[in-house]
Amino acid sequence: MLGKSYLTKQASLLLEFARTTSDSRLSAKLISKAADLKSQADPLPDKDQGPKAPDVSPGKQTQS
């Protein structure tokens, strides 16, 4: 699954392209696609909610 930051960045890039083009039909399509990506990103959590790494004390090593 794509993350929120990725989808938001892609939407932002599409809006930049929409502003730079002189083709109004293309601009409208780009804006529409950016809105779709934004709506996909909105319900996603802001940060990675995956499993956390176990706590490790720095500098301590175990010997086998």
Side-chain angles (χ1 to χ4, degrees), residues 30-50:
L30 292 170
I31 291 170
S32 176
K33 184 59 179 172
D36 289 345
L37 291 174
K38 180 79 169 90
S39 68
Q40 290 176 34
D42 283 342
L44 298 176
D46 286 337
K47 293 185 178 180
D48 180 18
Q49 298 294 318

Side-chain angles (χ1 to χ4, degrees), residues 9-53:
K9 178 66 175 175
Q10 295 304 308
S12 176
L13 290 171
L14 288 175
L15 291 175
E16 283 183 44
F17 292 145
R19 281 191 291 262
T20 61
T21 186
S22 59
D23 184 341
S24 60
R25 292 177 69 195
L26 175 59
S27 180
K29 288 179 182 181
L30 292 170
I31 291 170
S32 176
K33 184 59 179 172
D36 289 345
L37 291 174
K38 180 79 169 90
S39 68
Q40 290 176 34
D42 283 342
L44 298 176
D46 286 337
K47 293 185 178 180
D48 180 18
Q49 298 294 318
K52 298 191 184 300

